[in-house]
Structures are given as C-alpha cells and as structure tokens.
Amino acid sequence: MHISDIGEHALIERIRARVPDAPAWVIAGIGDDAAVIAPERGCVDVVTTDSLVEDVHFRRAWTSMRDVGYKALAVNVSDLAAMGAEPRAATLSLALPASLAVTDFDELIDGFLELARAVRVQLVGGNLTKSPGPVVIDVTLIGSARRRRLMMRSGGKPGHLLYVTGTVGGAARTLEAQRSEGPTVQGSRPPVRLRTGLQVSRNKVAMACVDVSDGLADAVAQLAKASGTGAELNADLVPRAPGATIEQALYGGEDYELLFAVPKRWRGRFERIAGRDVTVTAVGELIAPRDLWVTRDGTRAPLGAGFSHF
Amino acid sequence: MHISDIGEHALIERIRARVPDAPAWVIAGIGDDAAVIAPERGCVDVVTTDSLVEDVHFRRAWTSMRDVGYKALAVNVSDLAAMGAEPRAATLSLALPASLAVTDFDELIDGFLELARAVRVQLVGGNLTKSPGPVVIDVTLIGSARRRRLMMRSGGKPGHLLYVTGTVGGAARTLEAQRSEGPTVQGSRPPVRLRTGLQVSRNKVAMACVDVSDGLADAVAQLAKASGTGAELNADLVPRAPGATIEQALYGGEDYELLFAVPKRWRGRFERIAGRDVTVTAVGELIAPRDLWVTRDGTRAPLGAGFSHF
C-alpha cells in the first residue's frame, strides 16, 4: 500500500496516534494552524533546523527507514547539545514520493519518535507534502537554556585545549564500505551526546563547543574562526573509529561528536564531568595567530578545508 | 554560474550579507550550531512549518524565484495570522539541485527577505543541502502571542457566523490558466492577512480562525471539526476572485485568506475591525449537528471533501 492510497489526513492521523500525550507546556500540538508552547521560565529559546535528503544523506537500500527517522532527529539534537540547550519541541516536515510504502512511512515516524522519547522531545507539528523527487525530511528543534550557560562557537581563546568526544571517522568508513560492498554493510545510528553537552554547560567546564557534523577538521576551523583564533590539531592524537583512516577521521563528516574548547586550568574538572558518559580526548589547542595547522607523524602542515555540501 | 561552483560557505555568506541587523532579542543568529532567541515577555511561542516543492507548489517556468521565496514565507505568516500571533523569527531550509543558477538562488533569498522586512521577521538560521531532485523550501516560523488572545480552530460554537477575508478561487483560476495557456500567464503573490488576524485577535472579535490554504470548503470543515460542530456554507455568498468558478472558490486551494467564527452579537465590531484592511464577507454559520452543508442556487447538499496533498 502506498501513501497516496490513504491520503494526507490518514497519514497525519497515523502520526498523531503514535505521539505520546503532550506535557503541560504544550498548549496546542498537532492539528491547529500552528503549535503553541509556553517558554521555559528564565530561559532563552534555542532553535536549529537540519534536513536529510535521500541519495545525499542516506540510501533506502542501505538504511532502514527507522534509522532514517532516528537520524533526522539525532542530527538536530546534536546541534542543541553543542549549545548546551535542552531540546523540548520538534516539527517534522516531510516531502515524500506518492509511491512510498505506508510501512516505510510508519517506520520513519517510529524511528523519529523512538529518539524523541529517549531525549524527551515532543513532536508538536509539521507538514506533509508529496514530491516528484527524493524523500526530504526537515526537522526544526526548539530547546531552552539559561542564557549564561550557553556554549557559543565564539567562546574560544588562545591556549584553550580542544577536546573531542568518542571517536571520529566511523561514518565515513561505513559509507565507503557500503559504496564498495553494497547493502550488506549495515549503517549505524549517530551517537547522541546530549547528556555530555548539558553536563559540560551546566558545570561551566568549557568555553565553546561545536558539533562535528562535517568532519573534525571543519569543526576545528569553524570554532577557531568564530572565536577569532587559529588552531593546532594533532592528528596523531585523534581517536579514530575502528578501521577508519586518518583522512576519514579528519574530513569524513557525519560523526556527530562534540568538540569543546577548554581552558587549561579546567582540564581536570572537564575530563571528570564530560568523561562520565563518553571518552573525551585532547586533540589540539587554540592559538593566537589565525592559522590552522595539523601535525601528523610529527610534521606540521596547514589544515585543509572541510566538507562542502555543494 | 551554478551554486555548486561557489560552494556552501559562499552561499551562506550571500544570505548573511542580505539579512538586516538583528534586533536585540536575537541573541545568536545565523552562524552558530543553533539560533538563540529571547522569548517575548508574557507571551507564548507559536510555531509553524510549511514547505514549497518545485513542480508541486510552483514551476520555475511559471513563477520567478523571487515570488517563490516570497511565497515560502507568506504561507507560514498566514498560519500565524490565523492564530493571532505576531511572527518574529524564521529558519529557512533549502534542498537545491547543484545546477541551480546563483542568480536564482539570490532571487529566492531576496523574495523571502522582502516579505520578512515587511512583516518584521528576522531570519535566524537554516540549512543548505544539495538534492538530486526538485527545489524544496522549508520554512519554520516562530511568533509570539498572549495566551488569552490566541485564536484556535476549536473555539467555534453553533450559531457563530463564518466570515472570509478577500476573495477565494483566484489561485486555482490562475493555475488552470497557466496549465492551458503556459507561462504567459503570470502567477500572483498570495495575500498576507497578518494585520487583519492580529487586529481581530487583539480586539477579541472572533472566537476561532483558520487559514484558507486547501480551499474554503476544507477550511470550513477543519474549523467545524475542531470545534465539534457542523457548518452551513452559502456558496452564493462566497466572494469569488475575478474569473474564478464556484468550484475553484470552494475547492481550489492556495488562497491564503482567513476564515473566522464570529458570535452574532460581535458582528458589527468584527466587520468594523476586520474590515479596515480587507473586505470581509459572511458566508455561512456553524450549526450543532456535526454535518457539513453547502447551499448553492438555493439548494442544500452535503459539502464535499477538500484537497489532499497526496
């Protein structure tokens, strides 16, 4: 059965039936012209949007629609984690081919809602439209944070240590394996570093943060640029996912780890607090001259450019 | 020159250069992992999302990219107008073919920002990704309202009069003309009934409102369903756009007018306040039995179903 067989209203009903009861701060959820949310008292709103496009960010042959739905929310949670903001409400906008199977539609929603439940995000609205092209999933995520606890990209200073969570290069390694070996290689879900981002911001043990979505090299460049500094990255220290090359670790993208800038005197507290849920590794340092360097096998060279989506 | 020739960072810079300076309530705009907004004091957040898909909602041969960008925001403003909420901040998510001309990209952004300026909306973030398929434009719009002034769809009661702003059927008439005569027929921009929505909600002269995006018949059905009532629509009273048939007026969609439910004793005040900027016309009434009727040339018949996006 295709989604065009059951129509828009029935699809919305299928979503609504799966969404848990809204908490009290949701004044109007799915079904009106717009959703209505009471802001968190004493907090600012933090808003991010990110999308997944079929055959760009995923292939249906390689990834289950459940994992696609999960990832569509995960990449947005990653952005709020990097700000130190608690996610609260999401909208989900889907452009779908009329031939999509209803079971695939359900799987997509189930994967999205699985993560939503885990991170306590309420789906409050969205949009459904047909498309002659690929599946496009757009998620906007709204969270809250106390203003003084926000971690901006621009908070870095020369001398701050750069720490990365988990390992990098794994997503790129999997993608290359899929390209050469086909759909027998299962994709994996991105990590969700929300707890780490929130703990670090609550305890004020980092001055800046960015999520590693387009490769570690790009994340370092973005953080340094926003902070008005340069950076040195020590490639020999970068924690690589099993089987990942150093190129994949630096330039691969889609890792969704967090990169923090930490004043040296906070090093011990940072490692204790951030290290509760995930390993954290010092991989470099911010420097005053606005240049980007990478040291590899003891040799220092300019840090290459990151990933471009075009 | 195509957008793939200049790359993602340059495209983001082209947007950023066009966005006016942010007001003080925007704590972080374009450029960080997420945008940060101070909520309006004493207000709730009102959130909507809507998208335009090439060859579904527009054709590049028939519509300038400037009008497409304008419309992408306008359809979202319409949703907030129907809630009685003041729009504040928008995110813009674009899935674009790599072959799109940079001039088309600029036009799209210019059209979006033209309306943003007019309704005082700040573009605070977004996402850019390539797509192998059609242009997909997703906008999320966040506004604010005093909770007690919100106009929900569910506020209607039997006996309330149904009023529509402006005229309906014009968008469907234009679309049919374009289908038969081709791109010589120029599309028009949707109306923006924001001021009317805000005036009506501030003065509390309507109990419910919905925007007419999928046809007047669908809007009447949605409002009645949410309110737990039925409705009678008098087709002979429906204000049609020049040249539009009654079918186009009832079922055509894309009109972006507002439909209000107004207690009879507020009729005079409603007409005076809503009528300041646009003509308003009483076209029917909510009724207690949960049936939907349309009277046409004096004959009463069940009101047919509205538009489905699949």
Side-chain angles (χ1 to χ4, degrees):
Chain A
M1 199 166 54
H2 299 151
I3 55 172
S4 55
D5 297 328
I6 69 170
E8 183 186 10
H9 289 300
L11 293 172
I12 293 172
E13 270 316 308
R14 289 179 98 85
I15 298 176
R16 203 205 294 256
R18 286 169 158 79
V19 172
D21 287 344
W25 52 264
V26 177
I27 296 159
I30 298 170
D32 217 307
D33 290 279
V36 182
I37 298 167
E40 183 87 19
R41 195 183 294 268
C43 288
V44 291
D45 290 337
V46 186
V47 184
T48 188
T49 189
D50 211 343
S51 60
L52 299 185
V53 178
E54 182 183 355
D55 292 335
V56 177
H57 303 100
F58 67 92
R59 298 206 186 178
R60 277 198 255 170
W62 294 354
T63 315
S64 73
M65 286 306 269
R66 195 173 175 107
D67 284 352
V68 170
Y70 181 99
K71 185 178 172 186
L73 180 55
V75 299
N76 283 280
V77 171
S78 181
D79 282 322
L80 290 201
M83 300 292 288
E86 186 114 44
R88 302 174 83 214
T91 60
L92 174 61
S93 184
L94 299 170
L96 303 172
S99 63
L100 188 76
V102 173
T103 50
D104 281 339
F105 177 87
D106 288 347
E107 287 278 297
L108 195 166
I109 301 301
D110 285 339
F112 182 94
L113 292 176
E114 180 189 334
L115 179 57
R117 206 170 298 116
V119 296
R120 300 206 292 169
V121 161
Q122 189 72 16
L123 180 63
V124 296
N127 190 60
L128 283 180
T129 180
K130 72 176 168 186
S131 169
V135 172
V136 178
I137 307 167
D138 249 286
V139 174
T140 298
L141 185 61
I142 304 176
S144 65
R146 298 202 177 270
R147 183 168 176 177
R148 65 192 162 76
R149 285 185 184 159
L150 285 170
M151 293 185 293
M152 313 299 248
R153 291 186 186 186
S154 54
K157 296 249 182 312
H160 286 181
L161 298 172
L162 294 172
Y163 275 90
V164 67
T165 58
T167 62
V168 288
R173 183 218 56 213
T174 301
L175 186 65
E176 288 204 6
Q178 287 172 326
R179 279 196 179 128
S180 58
E181 295 163 45
T184 55
V185 179
Q186 274 305 296
S188 56
R189 290 176 169 189
V192 177
R193 302 297 182 212
L194 179 60
R195 195 136 55 148
T196 304
L198 291 175
Q199 286 294 324
V200 168
S201 81
R202 272 177 200 152
N203 289 282
K204 267 275 172 214
V205 289
M207 289 298 289
C209 185
V210 62
D211 85 322
V212 183
S213 54
D214 296 333
L216 183 60
D218 179 76
V220 168
Q222 299 286 345
L223 196 153
K225 190 182 171 198
S227 298
T229 69
E232 300 232 29
L233 181 62
N234 189 332
D236 303 327
L237 299 179
V238 168
R240 279 188 254 168
T245 65
I246 186 69
E247 266 68 35
Q248 288 168 341
L250 294 185
Y251 303 109
E254 302 254 307
D255 291 311
Y256 300 104
E257 298 291 350
L258 297 179
L259 179 75
F260 294 99
V262 179
K264 281 187 182 124
R265 65 182 187 284
W266 295 356
R267 179 171 200 156
R269 286 188 65 214
F270 173 82
E271 289 187 3
R272 199 172 67 247
I273 286 162
R276 277 178 198 156
D277 297 306
V278 63
T279 57
V280 289
T281 311
V283 295
E285 187 170 333
L286 295 179
I287 56 175
R290 295 190 179 198
D291 306 311
L292 302 170
W293 297 96
V294 59
T295 300
R296 211 164 141 174
D297 301 327
T299 309
R300 197 176 185 242
L303 183 65
F307 180 82
S308 169
H309 288 276
F310 285 95
Chain B
M1 198 165 55
H2 300 150
I3 55 172
S4 56
D5 297 328
I6 69 170
E8 184 186 9
H9 290 300
L11 293 171
I12 293 172
E13 272 315 309
R14 290 179 98 84
I15 297 176
R16 204 205 293 256
R18 286 170 159 78
V19 172
D21 286 345
W25 52 263
V26 177
I27 297 159
I30 298 170
D32 217 306
D33 290 279
V36 182
I37 299 167
E40 183 86 21
R41 195 183 294 270
C43 287
V44 291
D45 289 337
V46 186
V47 184
T48 189
T49 188
D50 211 343
S51 60
L52 299 185
V53 178
E54 182 184 354
D55 292 336
V56 177
H57 302 98
F58 67 92
R59 299 207 185 176
R60 277 197 255 168
W62 294 353
T63 316
S64 73
M65 286 306 268
R66 196 174 174 106
D67 283 353
V68 171
Y70 181 99
K71 185 178 172 185
L73 179 56
V75 299
N76 283 280
V77 171
S78 180
D79 283 322
L80 290 201
M83 300 293 288
E86 186 114 44
R88 302 175 84 214
T91 61
L92 174 62
S93 185
L94 300 170
L96 303 173
S99 63
L100 187 76
V102 173
T103 49
D104 281 340
F105 177 87
D106 288 347
E107 286 278 297
L108 195 166
I109 301 301
D110 285 339
F112 182 95
L113 292 176
E114 180 188 335
L115 179 57
R117 206 170 299 116
V119 296
R120 298 206 293 168
V121 162
Q122 188 73 15
L123 180 63
V124 296
N127 190 60
L128 283 180
T129 181
K130 72 176 169 190
S131 168
V135 172
V136 179
I137 307 166
D138 248 288
V139 174
T140 297
L141 185 60
I142 304 177
S144 65
R146 298 204 177 269
R147 183 168 178 177
R148 64 191 162 75
R149 286 184 183 159
L150 286 169
M151 293 185 291
M152 313 299 248
R153 290 185 187 187
S154 54
K157 297 249 182 314
H160 286 181
L161 297 172
L162 294 172
Y163 276 90
V164 68
T165 57
T167 62
V168 288
R173 183 218 56 211
T174 301
L175 186 64
E176 288 204 8
Q178 287 173 325
R179 279 194 179 127
S180 60
E181 294 162 46
T184 54
V185 180
Q186 274 305 296
S188 55
R189 290 177 168 189
V192 177
R193 302 298 180 212
L194 178 61
R195 196 138 55 148
T196 303
L198 291 175
Q199 286 295 323
V200 168
S201 81
R202 273 178 200 151
N203 290 283
K204 267 274 173 216
V205 288
M207 290 297 289
C209 185
V210 63
D211 85 323
V212 183
S213 54
D214 296 334
L216 183 60
D218 179 76
V220 169
Q222 298 286 345
L223 196 153
K225 190 182 171 199
S227 297
T229 69
E232 301 232 28
L233 181 62
N234 190 332
D236 304 327
L237 299 179
V238 169
R240 280 188 253 168
T245 66
I246 186 69
E247 266 67 36
Q248 288 167 340
L250 294 185
Y251 304 110
E254 303 254 308
D255 290 312
Y256 300 104
E257 298 291 349
L258 297 178
L259 179 75
F260 294 98
V262 179
K264 281 189 183 123
R265 66 183 185 285
W266 294 356
R267 178 170 201 158
R269 286 189 66 215
F270 172 83
E271 289 186 3
R272 198 172 65 247
I273 286 161
R276 277 179 198 155
D277 297 306
V278 62
T279 58
V280 290
T281 312
V283 293
E285 187 170 334
L286 296 179
I287 57 175
R290 296 190 178 197
D291 306 311
L292 301 171
W293 298 96
V294 60
T295 300
R296 210 164 141 174
D297 301 326
T299 309
R300 198 178 185 239
L303 183 65
F307 180 81
S308 168
H309 288 277
F310 285 96

